[in-house]
Amino acid sequence: TQEKIRTDVSNLVRNVEKLSEIIKSCMLKEAEEKISSARILIDSYFRRITNNPAFQAFNIKVEEDKRTGGNFYIFEDQDGKRPIPILSQGDLNSLALSIFLGMSKTSADSHPLGFVLMDDPSQSLDSQQKARLVEIFNELSDIKNITVSTMDTELQKFLKDGITKVKTIYKFSDWAPDSGPRISMEI
């Protein structure tokens, strides 16, 4: 009766706690595996895009966040130092792009979607970083369809000139509330 209910509730709480620990452990293991499989590409892409001589290596570690139980990501340079406080906004965006693109490439065989969708990826990047980003897009386009949406005319030129694979360019212009944009296609 009441004692049985207490025992049942206690067992339920214990089982939920065990299940929660198992889920956290699985999340950590999956994150470690995904980062591990993409680590070399993330490092390479980051150093290629930024071309920052201060970085000879860039590493990501995954640990459990003791406060939340979720995952905590640690970024380190070749000396084991945490570079986030000294990175420029362009470098931070390059890091985010490197993680996204590195993981996109390593999941090519295991992910059901065969495309990458980028919305204005050139934010805070200088001209050289944009050109190097397009080189990576060109390489990645061997295994993924890449869609880039941008108003950055410089990036548009780099994409038009730098993507050597088959490409289609859609331009959206003359937007009107009742009819939407006028769409033109360029091959």
Side-chain angles (χ1 to χ4, degrees):
T1 47
Q2 271 195 344
E3 188 58 37
K4 182 180 179 335
I5 292 172
R6 276 192 205 125
T7 301
D8 288 347
V9 169
S10 177
N11 288 336
L12 177 63
V13 168
R14 208 171 16 260
N15 289 338
V16 168
E17 288 172 349
K18 285 179 187 176
L19 184 59
S20 177
E21 290 302 316
I22 291 169
I23 290 170
K24 289 175 188 176
S25 174
C26 289
M27 286 176 23
L28 181 64
K29 184 177 180 189
E30 181 179 13
E32 287 172 335
E33 288 172 358
K34 286 182 177 183
I35 292 294
S36 178
S37 70
R39 182 173 279 119
I40 292 170
L41 280 171
I42 294 168
D43 170 57
S44 172
Y45 289 168
F46 175 73
R47 290 186 299 115
R48 280 178 59 193
I49 295 170
T50 62
N51 198 28
N52 186 331
F55 296 101
Q56 287 84 46
F58 198 86
N59 190 31
I60 302 173
K61 293 180 182 176
V62 185
E63 294 181 357
E64 181 183 345
D65 184 334
K66 302 298 183 198
R67 187 177 54 83
T68 66
N71 295 335
F72 182 73
Y73 298 87
I74 300 169
F75 302 95
E76 295 178 337
D77 66 10
Q78 65 279 353
D79 300 320
K81 295 181 181 171
R82 296 187 181 178
I84 298 299
I86 62 168
L87 293 177
S88 69
Q89 187 62 50
D91 289 343
L92 288 171
N93 289 352
S94 296
L95 176 58
L97 289 164
S98 300
I99 293 168
F100 179 76
L101 295 171
M103 295 194 66
S104 294
K105 187 167 184 179
T106 56
S107 68
D109 295 329
S110 64
H111 198 280
L113 300 177
F115 66 90
V116 172
L117 182 60
M118 305 294 295
D119 182 23
D120 200 14
S122 61
Q123 294 178 31
S124 301
L125 302 184
D126 64 28
S127 296
Q128 293 83 17
Q129 290 170 326
K130 292 174 191 178
R132 291 187 292 265
L133 176 62
V134 169
E135 289 172 7
I136 293 170
F137 285 165
N138 195 49
E139 292 169 16
L140 188 58
S141 69
D142 287 337
I143 59 169
K144 297 272 188 179
N145 290 319
I146 301 175
T147 300
V148 178
S149 171
T150 185
M151 294 178 63
D152 182 334
T153 56
E154 183 178 45
L155 180 62
Q156 290 173 11
K157 180 171 178 7
F158 285 134
L159 289 165
K160 185 175 181 180
D161 297 342
I163 301 295
T164 60
K165 304 347 182 248
V166 174
K167 61 185 167 267
T168 305
I169 301 169
Y170 294 96
K171 294 196 179 223
F172 294 74
S173 60
D174 302 328
W175 187 87
D178 57 336
S179 61
R182 185 172 57 103
I183 302 170
S184 58
M185 186 172 83
E186 182 181 322
I187 297 180

